Amino acid sequence: MAEPTDKQTAPRTAQQTERPTGHGTAPHPAAPSPDAPVRPDRPGGRARRSGLHATVLMAVLAVVFGFVFWVADQVYAPLMLALGPFGGFADAVLGGAWIVVAPLALFILRRPGAGVLAEVLAAGAELVVFGSPFGPMVLVSGLVQGVGAELAFTLTRYRRWGWGTFALSGVTAAVVTYAYQSFAFGYLGQDLYLLRFAVLVVSCVLLSGLAARVLGLALLRTGVLDNYAVGRLA
Amino acid sequence: MTAHGTVGTAEPEEPATAGVDAGHDDAGLDVTGLTVAYPRAARPALDDVSARVPPGEALLVVGLSGSGKSTLLGALAGVLGHTLDAQVHGTALVAGVDVTAGGPLDAARVAALVQQDPIAQTCLDTVRAEVELVLENHAVPAARIPAAAAEALADAHAAGLADRRTAELSGGELQRVALAAALAGRPRVLLADEPTAMLDPRAAREVGALVGHVAAGGTTTVVVEHRLDTLAPLPARTLVLSDGRVLACGPTPDVLAEHGARLAAGGCWVPTRTLLATAGAPGPLGTPATDDWLRDLADRRGTQPETPDPYRPGARRRRPDGGFALHARGLRVRRTRRAGGPWSRARRVDVVHGVDLSLPRGRVLGVVGANGSGKSTLLRGLAGLEPTGGSVRAGRTALAVQHPEQGFLCRTVADELAYGPRRAGLADTDVEAAVAAALRRFGLDGLADRSPYRLSGGQQRRLSLAAAVGGDPDVVLADEPTFGLDRAGTLDTAAILRAEADDGAGVVVVSHDLELLGRVADHVLVLHDGRPLGTGPAEDVLADGELLDAAGLERGPLLERWAGWPRPRPSLRRLLTGLDAAVAAAARSGLPDRTGAPA
Amino acid sequence: MSARPAGTTATAPGPRGSALARWNPTVKLGTLLLAGAAVMLVTDPVTPTVLWVAAVLAALTLGRVPAGTVARAQLALAAFSVSVFSANLLLRHDGDVLAVVGPVEVTSGALAVATSFAARTLYLGTVSVLLLTTTDPVRLMVSLHQHARLPAPTTYAVLAAHRMVELLPAEWHAIRCAQAVRDPRRTPGSPLPRSPRALGAATFGLLVAAVRRAERATVALESRGLGAGPRTVAHPVPLRAGDVVAGAGALVLVGAVVLAGWWGGWLAGPAALTPG
């Protein structure tokens, strides 16, 4: 911006430039590659991390998604009702979106267990904060979904973070979740049992696995993840 | 060059203290050769900083934007290099604890931190729990916690807030709670990072007085501030940072006398006394000589255009002349409230009632009122974002919201600027031209490919304004456009809004900052509890102390003095802009170059 | 969602002063989890219906949840329940054909399973509302820390996120307004856009703001010494024998309802889902 008052004084940026917490402290020439292996940010190993940072983030992701899903429910519930018996199908179509927290937490934190914990916390938020129609069993659902989504990363020993692994995460999430839902929601024995499964797999791959990576990369660009594992990859 | 500042009375150098711990007697601060570099940064944010603060003394840290003052505080709190990534070299002993090695948990044993953002640093949903958390973490026996919490709240003048929910509190109240939580742990060192930056003027003054009182009361204190006009009393010692290095360190009056002009020109809100001295006033505010000097300043500067539009010299006007940009009669604005959580009944309530306003093109209307008076809701109603009653007639309307990040939609700054023109159906070449012009006009050159979220607060504010005025709207609505900005950013914003009006837009500015309105507004509307309490020409309203008081507003010392003068008073706008120009001139003439810090 | 300091709840009116609110929250959560799990493999209509009625009565009496709140919650749950009911009714074929609606046959087996799942939805949802209205989040987390050995940093991370929940609706609205007004083609006075794209953009804005807040909350919690070492608890949540007895009693009741179905012959398990 042109300087109306003091052209001769030094170039100036507004006061928040220097805040250590987020706003651009320096030129960021390029977003870091999120596929590179993790390196410790202090070679001397002096950094002491309490783990609180990651836990707060997971809890916050949980409530934000809990809130957004609650809002989406309000917006789309009439639609679901109008679809009648196929409302359940709409559920399968959008089913993957409910599992996006687990792969997103793994994308950001890159640590075993983050997916399961984030998904359970999200379920807890749904239960305690928003009053889920699934009752306390939503915690079990969360656990099942989290384990399903994280399975792909466990199978690749938490070393591969490319599109393939996230797509696979959608598949594992769909398989594990559907096995549980077959009993819990009584899908077992319904018509179109396999078709519903196929729809869920596609939904989970697109709306859970791949969407998490898209969302993660977009968040990475904004700089808010600079102090988490994914932001530290140089 | 090793910049080294020693604060306080000369003390014999203590022998090297190996393995110092909280039990050690030294409750002061000892920073040696502290260098902090953020990952991917071109240069270190702090470069070889050394400073000492003896026990019980208070230190004010000031500096131009980007000088590293918040970084210094982050390092002292043990956060940098631990919770947040940074390469930290050198040592910082806080009450004998090496916080650069020990991190925030070691630092927390001896020091407490008050951050800038009142909402983000409040962690729990009741005030009591917020304060008790600190006591629990310090393993205070449960039986003693209630009394200790009450005591801490009382120390922070927040005793009346003990039973409140944090979601109900204003920013100023939350900062008092944050201070109570900080004091609850009986810290040997209090660290405060711009505690008043995000508050309205009245709350800023109250919190500033509170922090000033604690700092004067024998707790070793380090306060980072750019709003020196709110901190009272100022700490006895001041450290000036420039580009991560120590520029000066010494008794506050001496440092302000020497560097006041530079700080004012560089963005600090310096005390009025310093501002006047910098501008060349013959004495402090209130003396007859200074009154005469101020009147003369207004007359003299008024004869020439003191702030020529810096953005479009000779540019042709983009909007038609004459007529009304905005016309509202009996305007009501409703909000939906859901008081008791997701299962409770939703209620629609009128938040704003009975507002009449007529805004001609080329004019700026200021809207003032205390927190919760319905100012932001009124703007949303005018923009057609909330359900309204009564009548509103407006041309094409743009709104720059209070928190710019909330309105971002795109991956890059250039895309943000292109979004409006593209949606309006402009051809690609026209869109490109519009983006290039906006980047230049708003000083965002070189940032076109940056994520808007990675901009500094001031840059985000400019981007938001640029996007709002990009389509040459008939009405520009600006919600607290200077919120959280430093002095220079505030003046820039004022100039932009005035330029839009001069170009034929009707401008509505919502602000707490009465001086800002003195600079830009032609008319002022005072809101109180969603109803208009008064309206009139800006200078009449700003001179009406009773009206402002009834609305919970207060003037700064300069406005107060101006309002106390007998009529005819000189034009307030000329007085303020004249003073700005005098400060800028002083900064140009008598200051060392920014990079050439005296060795 | 209101949270008073733990310890003052006992005297409060309404659900927060009820017997269910005084019940140790960890025991309550565990009990309700088991009570919910008990019906997961049940597919007959009677058992979940009985439990649903019991849960509603418990909410009204033991939980002192206002009837209006219970009713509104049932209405919201009913929408979901109807969807589950119709899906199972029309997508299953087992037993006698009761009616033919266009191309679809409604069978007796399908009706039983559909009714069962609909009642289960109402039952679990009511349990959820019961938990929501009678549980103070701070007390729950303190109790989980004390009685379920959840580490303090985790409990306070959750509480910090919970505090953020109250800010989310206002922030969400502000973001949607701020983004909507950017569109030059928007008609003033029209409702805020609800397209998936608009909601997605608002979600992203909300996420960015929330992650920034998370970082500042982390700094605040750490600089206040959370996780630094041994800590005390200002308002410990008591765990009395009575809490456990109440839990056991509730589970015995649920067990009795299931057993009654077994003796009475109406209980059905997952086998009913895959006839033949």
Side-chain angles (χ1 to χ4, degrees):
Chain A
M1 172 188 287
E3 310 288 336
T5 48
D6 49 352
K7 275 226 156 37
Q8 256 64 35
T9 44
R12 168 193 52 71
T13 48
Q15 47 99 10
Q16 288 179 8
T17 32
E18 63 187 271
R19 299 201 56 73
T21 44
H23 291 303
T25 46
H28 283 264
S33 157
D35 302 324
V38 182
R39 67 167 174 80
D41 71 310
R42 296 189 82 172
R46 277 168 72 198
R48 275 174 55 176
R49 294 180 198 285
S50 65
L52 186 67
H53 203 194
T55 315
V56 172
L57 180 81
M58 283 187 275
V60 164
L61 289 178
V63 297
V64 170
F65 279 101
F67 174 77
V68 171
F69 291 151
W70 180 75
V71 169
D73 264 357
Q74 313 296 303
V75 176
Y76 296 115
L79 180 79
M80 294 270 288
L81 204 57
L83 283 173
F86 303 102
F89 249 82
D91 212 39
V93 171
L94 297 175
W98 299 85
I99 316 176
V100 71
V101 180
L104 181 60
L106 283 162
F107 177 89
I108 296 171
L109 299 171
R110 305 278 155 117
R111 60 155 81 161
V116 177
L117 187 52
E119 199 66 45
V120 169
L121 286 171
E126 250 185 90
L127 173 66
V128 179
V129 181
F130 302 102
S132 161
F134 302 104
M137 301 318 296
V138 76
L139 291 174
V140 179
S141 288
L143 184 68
V144 168
Q145 293 169 339
V147 167
E150 182 148 348
L151 195 57
F153 299 94
T154 314
L155 290 175
T156 55
R157 286 185 282 171
Y158 300 95
R159 284 184 188 161
R160 298 161 139 266
W161 302 95
W163 292 107
T165 314
F166 279 84
L168 181 65
S169 155
V171 175
T172 55
V175 170
V176 175
T177 304
Y178 203 61
Y180 169 75
Q181 287 181 342
S182 290
F183 289 95
F185 298 167
Y187 295 155
L188 194 62
Q190 282 190 5
D191 291 352
L192 314 175
Y193 180 75
L194 285 177
L195 179 62
R196 184 196 283 268
F197 176 60
V199 171
L200 186 67
V201 170
V202 173
S203 167
C204 282
V205 168
L206 293 178
L207 297 180
S208 166
L210 298 181
R213 197 164 190 277
V214 169
L215 200 53
L217 287 171
L219 282 173
L220 194 59
R221 260 189 68 80
T222 68
V224 294
L225 302 181
D226 282 357
N227 291 300
Y228 295 94
V230 66
R232 258 177 240 130
L233 309 170
Chain B
M1 178 194 81
T2 298
H4 192 114
T6 297
V7 181
T9 49
E11 273 192 335
E13 195 67 26
E14 286 179 42
T17 45
V20 283
D21 208 331
H24 193 265
D25 220 358
D26 183 6
L29 209 81
D30 195 344
V31 178
T32 315
L34 190 64
T35 299
V36 178
Y38 291 114
R40 284 167 273 167
R43 61 177 179 82
L46 281 184
D47 191 358
D48 198 15
V49 168
S50 299
R52 280 176 57 83
V53 183
E57 299 256 347
L59 176 68
L60 171 68
V61 180
V62 297
L64 307 187
S65 295
S67 60
K69 32 188 212 298
S70 286
T71 300
L72 175 60
L73 217 64
L76 293 179
V79 169
L80 295 181
H82 296 273
T83 312
L84 307 179
D85 294 353
Q87 295 281 345
V88 181
H89 299 284
T91 56
L93 296 179
V94 175
V97 173
D98 182 356
V99 294
T100 51
L105 297 183
D106 275 6
R109 285 157 47 215
V110 289
L113 173 69
V114 176
Q115 298 183 74
Q116 185 185 57
D117 184 340
I119 293 173
Q121 72 174 311
T122 307
C123 302
L124 300 177
D125 50 13
T126 66
V127 169
R128 203 184 294 279
E130 186 82 9
V131 178
E132 286 176 347
L133 168 66
V134 180
L135 296 160
E136 293 175 330
N137 292 340
H138 283 77
V140 174
R144 274 178 32 213
I145 286 181
E151 193 183 330
L153 283 163
D155 287 345
H157 297 188
L161 304 177
D163 295 316
R164 300 279 295 278
R165 297 177 53 70
T166 48
E168 301 166 351
L169 301 188
S170 69
E173 289 170 329
L174 286 175
Q175 284 303 66
R176 293 205 302 247
V177 172
L179 187 63
L183 296 176
R186 298 193 174 279
R188 288 156 163 245
V189 178
L190 177 68
L191 307 170
D193 185 4
E194 305 201 24
T196 71
M198 297 180 74
L199 306 181
D200 65 67
R202 176 173 277 191
R205 198 177 45 75
E206 288 166 3
V207 171
L210 209 51
V211 173
H213 177 76
V214 171
T219 305
T220 311
T221 306
V222 180
V223 194
V224 166
E225 259 301 359
H226 74 268
R227 278 170 79 158
L228 311 186
D229 57 338
T230 62
L231 203 60
L234 284 174
R237 296 275 163 166
T238 295
L239 175 92
V240 183
L241 283 176
S242 175
D243 282 338
R245 290 171 167 266
V246 176
L247 182 64
C249 191
T252 299
D254 301 353
V255 171
L256 285 184
E258 192 183 343
H259 300 279
R262 193 188 155 83
L263 291 170
C268 280
W269 293 104
V270 295
T272 306
R273 167 194 289 268
T274 308
L275 192 73
L276 288 174
T278 302
L285 194 65
T287 57
T290 303
D291 279 357
D292 291 342
W293 179 84
L294 283 170
R295 285 168 183 281
D296 179 55
L297 189 70
D299 291 343
R300 190 154 40 85
R301 296 284 177 180
T303 58
Q304 66 201 40
E306 59 284 315
T307 45
D309 180 355
Y311 307 107
R312 44 179 68 255
R316 68 180 175 84
R317 291 169 63 101
R318 296 159 297 164
R319 300 181 180 89
D321 273 325
F324 282 92
L326 179 68
H327 208 77
R329 279 286 166 276
L331 178 69
R332 299 190 311 276
V333 188
R334 294 195 198 104
R335 288 290 317 267
T336 303
R337 294 257 165 93
R338 209 184 270 275
W343 300 107
S344 66
R345 192 194 301 266
R347 290 178 304 122
R348 288 204 146 183
V349 284
D350 282 358
V351 180
V352 173
H353 327 247
V355 173
D356 298 325
L357 52 90
S358 298
L359 181 62
R361 289 181 174 277
R363 291 306 178 117
V364 178
L365 171 71
V367 179
V368 294
N371 278 320
S373 58
K375 306 185 298 289
S376 297
T377 310
L378 171 65
L379 280 198
R380 284 189 195 152
L382 293 174
L385 291 164
E386 306 275 7
T388 54
S391 80
V392 188
R393 278 185 289 131
R396 285 176 308 117
T397 304
L399 168 64
V401 294
Q402 186 176 351
H403 302 287
E405 278 198 355
Q406 292 180 337
F408 292 157
L409 289 160
C410 305
R411 281 168 57 85
T412 66
V413 169
D415 285 347
E416 288 290 346
L417 293 171
Y419 174 82
R422 259 192 210 130
R423 289 286 297 171
L426 263 62
D428 281 357
T429 49
D430 295 341
V431 172
E432 275 170 34
V435 169
L439 287 171
R440 212 167 40 247
R441 179 180 174 196
F442 287 88
L444 297 167
D445 277 322
L447 300 173
D449 295 327
R450 186 81 65 94
S451 164
Y453 293 98
R454 280 201 192 261
L455 300 181
S456 74
Q459 290 164 342
Q460 288 189 340
R461 183 72 64 189
R462 279 179 269 154
L463 174 59
S464 165
L465 265 179
V469 306
D472 297 337
D474 302 304
V475 184
V476 177
L477 308 170
D479 194 355
E480 296 285 359
T482 60
F483 185 71
L485 288 187
D486 57 13
R487 184 172 184 278
T490 300
L491 297 185
D492 287 348
T493 305
I496 289 170
L497 293 171
R498 198 61 239 178
E500 285 302 307
D502 292 344
D503 192 67
V507 178
V508 182
V509 185
V510 158
S511 182
H512 282 112
D513 184 348
L514 298 182
E515 278 196 20
L516 173 74
L517 297 183
R519 282 190 178 87
V520 300
D522 300 300
H523 266 68
V524 171
L525 168 71
V526 182
L527 271 189
H528 186 59
D529 281 341
R531 295 178 184 281
L533 198 64
T535 181
E539 299 204 345
D540 293 358
V541 172
L542 293 177
D544 188 343
E546 281 178 27
L547 175 63
L548 295 176
D549 203 44
L553 299 164
E554 62 186 54
R555 292 178 290 229
L558 197 60
L559 251 63
E560 199 62 43
R561 185 69 200 163
W562 167 84
W565 285 343
R567 290 164 191 274
R569 301 183 195 96
S571 151
L572 179 60
R573 189 183 301 169
R574 284 181 181 174
L575 175 64
L576 292 171
T577 50
L579 196 57
D580 297 341
V583 170
R588 274 197 294 275
S589 60
L591 289 173
D593 186 47
R594 181 182 181 173
T595 48
Chain C
M1 287 205 299
S2 109
R4 288 169 200 87
T8 64
T9 48
T11 53
R16 289 294 163 86
S18 66
L20 283 181
R22 288 195 300 276
W23 196 4
N24 180 287
T26 302
V27 179
K28 175 162 66 177
L29 184 65
T31 304
L32 295 182
L33 199 59
L34 288 175
V39 298
M40 293 316 282
L41 295 177
V42 172
T43 59
D44 71 88
V46 180
T47 309
T49 308
V50 171
L51 290 174
W52 169 46
V53 172
V56 170
L57 289 178
L60 291 171
T61 56
L62 295 175
R64 280 200 250 154
V65 183
T69 306
V70 175
R72 263 195 301 281
Q74 298 302 318
L75 216 63
L77 293 170
F80 190 72
S81 176
V82 165
S83 159
V84 169
F85 177 80
S86 61
N88 279 286
L89 191 65
L90 301 180
L91 297 178
R92 287 184 179 283
H93 311 282
D94 174 30
D96 309 328
V97 176
L98 300 175
V100 179
V101 186
V104 187
E105 290 178 341
V106 175
T107 58
S108 60
L111 183 63
V113 171
T115 312
S116 175
F117 284 136
R120 180 200 290 180
T121 304
L122 291 172
Y123 164 58
L124 291 178
T126 305
V127 167
S128 182
V129 171
L130 197 127
L131 200 62
L132 177 71
T133 49
T134 65
T135 307
D136 180 316
V138 177
R139 214 170 113 90
L140 171 64
M141 294 321 290
V142 169
S143 173
L144 285 175
H145 171 55
Q146 282 180 272
H147 307 127
R149 305 274 174 91
L150 207 58
T154 307
T155 61
Y156 281 96
V158 170
L159 287 173
H162 179 262
R163 129 123 180 123
M164 225 176 272
V165 170
E166 281 181 90
L167 308 172
L168 287 178
E171 182 126 16
W172 173 252
H173 183 66
I175 288 173
R176 288 181 70 201
C177 284
Q179 294 185 340
V181 80
R182 296 273 316 275
D183 184 353
R185 282 200 237 162
R186 172 172 195 281
T187 318
S190 59
L192 296 175
R194 292 180 150 203
S195 67
R197 190 189 174 83
L199 294 182
T203 301
F204 188 71
L206 196 65
L207 260 182
V208 171
V211 175
R212 278 208 206 288
R213 286 225 177 109
E215 194 152 277
R216 292 187 190 149
T218 304
V219 169
L221 287 170
E222 285 188 336
S223 69
R224 287 169 191 179
L226 181 64
R231 64 193 306 277
T232 50
V233 176
H235 305 285
V237 177
L239 176 61
R240 301 187 191 89
D243 293 313
V244 181
V245 170
L251 289 179
V252 165
L253 263 176
V254 172
V257 170
V258 176
L259 275 181
W262 184 59
W263 279 320
W266 62 76
L267 185 73
L273 299 177
T274 50

